[in-house]
Amino acid sequence: MTSTPRTAPSPAQSPERSVLMDLMALTPSATLGRELLALVVDLALIGAVVLVIQPEMLAIAVMFGVVGMFMAVRLVAGFRTRGYSRELTGGR
């Protein structure tokens, strides 16, 4: 019986991440859809925190502003490095 030897994945390829890791990662997701899902879920989590602790309006604005800016930077980085624009035109 012969079998093929297992090889380690190439370091040039990015490892597959779970959706949970997409929510917490500093780097953009692999696809535009997952990035948009992460954006919506992160903003919903901040909304849930706001509903629970009911901080002042300034604190709410700061929380949404910080998360929104961070997610916008991730989205722009994804368009530049991951090629999200190809997904919008149907290219693979």
Side-chain angles (χ1 to χ4, degrees), residues 30-48:
T31 63
L32 178 60
R34 287 178 75 155
E35 186 65 30
L36 293 176
L37 175 70
L39 184 138
V40 169
V41 171
D42 282 343
L43 291 177
L45 288 173
I46 294 298

Side-chain angles (χ1 to χ4, degrees), residues 2-71:
T2 62
S3 64
T4 57
R6 295 182 184 238
T7 59
S10 169
Q13 297 174 344
S14 63
E16 188 66 28
R17 289 194 316 209
S18 68
V19 175
L20 179 63
M21 286 306 297
D22 282 341
L23 296 175
M24 298 185 301
L26 296 175
T27 59
S29 301
T31 63
L32 178 60
R34 287 178 75 155
E35 186 65 30
L36 293 176
L37 175 70
L39 184 138
V40 169
V41 171
D42 282 343
L43 291 177
L45 288 173
I46 294 298
V49 168
V50 165
L51 285 176
V52 170
I53 62 174
Q54 299 179 352
E56 297 292 324
M57 281 304 287
L58 180 61
I60 293 171
V62 168
M63 283 191 281
F64 276 109
V66 168
V67 171
M69 287 300 295
F70 174 71
M71 295 305 290

